[in-house]
Amino acid sequence: MKTGKTERPGKLYVVATPIGNLSDITNRALETLASVELIAAEDTRHSRTLLQHYGIKTAMLSLHEHNESSRIKQIIGLLQAGSSVALISDAGTPLISDPGSRLVQAVHEAGLQPVPIPGPSAVSTMLSVAGQPVERFCFEGFLPSKAAARRKQLGSLLTETRTLVFYESSHRISDSIQDMKNAFGASRPCTVGRELTKRFESLYRGTLAEVLLVMQQDENSGRGEFVIVVAGAEENPDKSIEAGQSMMDVLVTELSVSQAASLAARMSGARKKVLYEYGLGKKGK
Ligand code: SAM
């Protein structure tokens, strides 16, 4: 490891790296990675490919979800001793659905100021080509992996008018889009981005029902990494949904979800399916 100067504290640089295409890295990111004393990387083996590609020989240390707390003291100590450290994750911007948040907070608490080195993130990359409104958006990251919790989370977003952005893996892409279709309705516009900036980059755009169908018919569409962008709810929301949900809050305490949804749909005018999904979420099913 290179040795830093000790008179002044070093800097923590939070450095964005490519989300697929290795050329998507800024000059400033490369200069920073080459000049710091240490790179804290989510997975040192993974990041070695990037560093080797650019001939960067800086020492690395792992910093991931499971050791972040224990690394904080070590890194703050290095910064206070005058060494500078760069934080990177496997892809994109650290902290965005990636480790680093506790370290950055600790750096502030130690009276130091982290330095951003901006670059790619799957969320901004996807929004730039999704063809959905981007004036206001709501980044939801990954939905819960368990079906009941996922549906509950989607239920809480029914009246969200901002464009919604989700991250998803190949394991759950189909289930998640199916759940979104059930929650938001088959006709809600959406765009799914797969393998952005990589060889098999694809965009699927249409209603949730159309995108689900197209993806089900394309056997490659379930492979890779995904960002899902769903248009927000209409600005003047259908009051019947809110009314139906309030009814469901009471009815599911006494009736089955199906019975409660039937009654609430008849009384409120909202769609039974939407209320049924909401009821499942409430009951934690
Ligand atoms: N820190 C990253 C960022 O700034 O986007 C996100 C890391 S998160 C652990 C990984 C998720 O980001 C993937 O499961 C996928 O949802 C999304 N993602 C990352 N790279 C992607 C790509 N090239 N194409 C599509 N989605 C991608």
Side-chain angles (χ1 to χ4, degrees), residues 19 91 93 96-98 121-122 142 167-168 196 198 225-227:
I19 59 166
T93 302
I96 308 291
S97 297
D98 265 341
S121 183
F142 287 99
Y167 279 174
E168 197 48 277
L196 299 170
K198 302 188 207 176
E225 298 188 285
F226 300 85
V227 184

Side-chain angles (χ1 to χ4, degrees), residues 35-279:
S35 64
V36 290
E37 277 75 40
L38 186 70
I39 298 173
E42 183 181 5
D43 178 342
T44 54
R45 272 196 319 186
H46 178 96
S47 294
R48 205 168 300 284
T49 311
L50 175 75
L51 298 187
Q52 274 175 355
H53 182 81
Y54 286 104
I56 295 172
K57 299 197 167 63
T58 308
M60 278 195 282
L61 167 92
S62 73
L63 183 142
H64 46 71
E65 203 192 333
H66 305 291
N67 71 359
E68 185 170 347
S69 303
S70 62
R71 290 291 196 222
I72 287 175
K73 212 170 151 210
Q74 191 178 355
I75 292 175
I76 301 275
L78 284 168
L79 298 175
Q80 283 167 338
S83 294
S84 287
V85 177
L87 172 69
I88 60 174
S89 62
D90 285 356
T93 302
L95 280 78
I96 308 291
S97 297
D98 265 341
S101 162
R102 282 172 282 168
L103 173 64
V104 168
Q105 285 180 42
V107 166
H108 279 283
E109 280 154 22
L112 303 171
Q113 196 173 305
V115 182
I117 308 290
S121 183
V123 52
S124 51
T125 303
M126 177 58 187
L127 280 171
S128 72
V129 292
Q132 303 293 346
V134 283
E135 292 77 20
R136 296 160 70 238
F137 65 89
C138 171
F139 176 59
E140 281 288 311
F142 287 99
L143 283 166
S145 55
K146 297 234 164 68
R150 186 167 62 235
R151 287 174 191 157
K152 189 171 179 185
Q153 179 68 6
L154 290 171
S156 76
L157 295 168
L158 282 187
T159 54
E160 175 58 66
T161 55
R162 291 171 294 178
T163 293
L164 297 159
V165 186
F166 302 91
Y167 279 174
E168 197 48 277
S169 69
S170 55
H171 307 111
R172 280 186 287 275
I173 184 69
S174 179
D175 288 349
S176 283
I177 299 177
Q178 180 68 57
D179 285 345
M180 286 176 193
K181 180 181 149 205
N182 292 341
F184 303 137
S187 58
R188 184 80 75 92
C190 84
T191 313
V192 175
R194 177 171 87 93
E195 295 287 88
L196 299 170
T197 77
K198 302 188 207 176
R199 184 159 170 226
F200 296 108
E201 178 180 85
S202 328
L203 292 175
Y204 305 87
R205 184 165 180 268
T207 64
L208 279 164
E210 288 163 351
V211 167
L212 186 63
L213 191 67
V214 169
M215 291 185 72
Q216 280 166 344
Q217 286 165 350
D218 172 0
E219 59 176 33
N220 290 318
S221 69
R223 302 204 178 112
E225 298 188 285
F226 300 85
V227 184
I228 309 169
V229 176
V230 182
E234 283 175 24
E235 283 290 344
N236 294 315
D238 182 355
K239 293 279 179 221
S240 66
I241 295 180
E242 270 174 64
Q245 285 180 341
S246 303
M247 292 173 195
M248 287 296 287
D249 290 344
V250 180
L251 292 173
V252 287
T253 61
E254 302 289 336
L255 302 172
S256 73
V257 177
S258 175
Q259 287 170 321
S262 285
L263 271 181
R266 271 162 53 199
M267 291 188 291
S268 66
R271 284 172 48 238
K272 181 183 168 189
K273 196 162 188 186
V274 171
L275 297 179
Y276 181 76
E277 288 296 328
Y278 176 78

